[in-house]
Amino acid sequence: QVQLVESGGGLVQAGGSLRLSCAVSGSFFSLAAMGWYRQAPGKQRELVAMITSGGSINYADSVKGRFTISRDNAKNTVYLQMNSLKPEDTAVYYCYARLSITVWENRDYWGQGTQVTVSS
């Protein structure tokens, strides 16, 4: 049973920082990609940042220069360092992982979500 366990959300003032973590546990062949999405009230879920097993990184334009994604392959953990936070960053942040369950099969998994609230 694969699980994604997130931590690090909370309440912060505008201009502040938070660091999100997401650890993947369970049985799988390899970890193809990990990332973070967010969903604000009344809006669609959107990609925040993604990092592949090869180290390729993609950021949403709205967070470039402020957020940094990184991963610890030994711990199967992905991090999102969020600096210069703005009220518009307020959302539920979801960890995402694409896992190779076998050599032939990939599956997508989601964390339970962690609330990030930025006050003005």
Side-chain angles (χ1 to χ4, degrees), residues 2-118:
V2 172
Q3 285 189 314
L4 275 61
V5 179
E6 303 157 345
S7 61
L11 173 65
V12 65
Q13 288 188 333
S17 298
L18 284 173
R19 188 190 195 212
L20 305 182
S21 300
C22 175
V24 181
S25 63
S27 179
F28 54 92
F29 182 71
S30 66
L31 212 164
M34 294 190 73
W36 295 91
Y37 286 72
R38 67 186 181 187
Q39 187 166 19
K43 295 187 177 181
Q44 290 187 333
R45 189 174 296 189
E46 63 175 359
L47 173 69
V48 177
M50 187 73 65
I51 183 167
T52 69
S53 58
S56 296
I57 292 175
N58 186 37
Y59 292 104
D61 288 343
S62 59
V63 307
K64 284 180 180 177
R66 300 187 298 121
F67 291 10
T68 302
I69 190 170
S70 61
R71 60 191 284 175
D72 184 332
N73 291 329
K75 297 180 179 179
N76 291 329
T77 299
V78 66
Y79 306 96
L80 185 68
Q81 178 66 43
M82 304 185 292
N83 298 328
S84 302
L85 282 160
K86 305 175 180 179
E88 51 263 44
D89 294 317
T90 295
V92 177
Y93 284 68
Y94 295 92
C95 179
Y96 162 86
R98 169 157 289 188
L99 305 180
S100 296
I101 302 303
T102 67
V103 176
W104 308 276
E105 181 184 3
N106 292 331
R107 291 184 191 172
D108 295 335
Y109 292 85
W110 294 91
Q112 77 281 5
T114 184
Q115 178 70 45
V116 171
T117 303
V118 184

